[in-house]
Amino acid sequence: MFNRKKSNVEKIRNLKLLISKKYHLSDATIISIAELACHEPNCPPLETVITARLEDGSIKNWRIAKAISEIEEFEINNLESHTH
């Protein structure tokens, strides 16, 4: 029925840990990671969106133009956050 690849749970856990360490996020911060397909012009075919919801209600977002499975640690270390 649905032929989607299952996300690598260990990879996602590792990415969340890297984000948490890089930005000194508390254990109460909720980090979500989603892999999105884009069909718009000038848009990467796959994009990973990382969102951190902090205790104070603020939200930080990061985007990487790759599939979750392809993200390397150096890419996390080079991210700049966008706070909302």
Side-chain angles (χ1 to χ4, degrees), residues 13-23 73 76:
R13 188 177 295 128
N14 187 47
L15 291 175
K16 287 181 177 185
L17 184 61
L18 290 171
I19 287 287
S20 183
K21 283 182 178 180
K22 176 177 172 49
Y23 290 100
E73 184 173 347
I76 297 296

Side-chain angles (χ1 to χ4, degrees), residues 20-72:
S20 183
K21 283 182 178 180
K22 176 177 172 49
Y23 290 100
H24 310 287
L25 302 175
S26 76
D27 290 342
T29 299
I30 299 169
I31 301 172
S32 59
I33 299 178
E35 189 175 281
L36 306 173
C38 183
H39 305 289
E40 300 291 322
N42 301 320
C43 179
L46 274 180
E47 178 178 58
T48 297
V49 178
I50 303 167
T51 303
R53 298 181 189 281
L54 286 74
E55 290 178 84
D56 66 3
S58 64
I59 298 172
K60 293 184 179 189
N61 288 307
W62 301 272
R63 295 178 178 274
I64 301 174
K66 288 185 170 185
I68 291 170
S69 63
E70 298 173 354
I71 297 172
E72 301 291 333

